[in-house]
Amino acid sequence: MTSSVSVRVRRVRAHPEPLALPRYETELAAGMDLRADIDGELTLGPLERVAVPTGLALALPAGYEAQLRPRSGLALKHGITLLNSPGTVDADYRGEVKVLLVNLSSQPFTLRRGERIAQLVVAPVSQVSLVELTVLDDTERGEGGFGSTGR
């Protein structure tokens, strides 16, 4: 069962041919595709990174975040992914959403206006209160991390 939440969106710049707003491409998709709001083309060399504008600013409701995630096809076919994945857009941020892309391949990759570059997933978040202690309760795992439960 899915819930419906309204997110207000503003285009941050005028363009003679505005890009389509993000939308779910299939009925049960978790994320909406964000598009590159660039003029012409942008080439990322091997290991190069760039903040790609989407042309959109969001007004998320309190208690929600927008997560920016890589697109699997770009990652598999071209080695293009997000450096801070998932990136977080906080509910109080009103600036343009930009996607921090990196080219992990050995070949240049050319991005064109309107190409889908990332997924946007809107999700609820919790704010917690931290309680400082000198000792934490024991668990079976304990302090084991980074591979401690096997390969």
Side-chain angles (χ1 to χ4, degrees), residues 129-146:
S129 298
L130 297 179
V131 178
E132 186 174 1
L133 303 172
T134 56
V135 177
L136 298 177
D137 56 310
D138 288 328
T139 65
E140 184 178 331
R141 182 175 182 175
E143 293 184 22
F146 295 109

Side-chain angles (χ1 to χ4, degrees), residues 99-142:
V99 177
L100 186 53
L101 290 183
V102 62
N103 180 356
L104 297 179
S105 78
S106 59
Q107 302 297 316
F109 176 79
T110 300
L111 184 62
R112 292 168 186 81
R113 176 174 173 75
E115 282 192 284
R116 298 178 296 164
I117 55 172
Q119 292 188 72
L120 176 77
V121 175
V122 176
V125 295
S126 299
Q127 287 192 339
V128 301
S129 298
L130 297 179
V131 178
E132 186 174 1
L133 303 172
T134 56
V135 177
L136 298 177
D137 56 310
D138 288 328
T139 65
E140 184 178 331
R141 182 175 182 175

Side-chain angles (χ1 to χ4, degrees), residues 48-64:
E48 188 175 359
R49 60 190 179 273
V50 65
V52 180
T54 65
L56 303 174
L58 305 175
L60 295 158
Y64 286 84

Side-chain angles (χ1 to χ4, degrees), residues 27-50:
E27 182 182 356
L28 299 178
M32 297 180 272
D33 289 334
L34 290 172
R35 297 177 182 273
D37 189 5
I38 57 175
D39 291 322
E41 298 180 341
L42 173 67
T43 299
L44 277 80
L47 300 179
E48 188 175 359
R49 60 190 179 273
V50 65

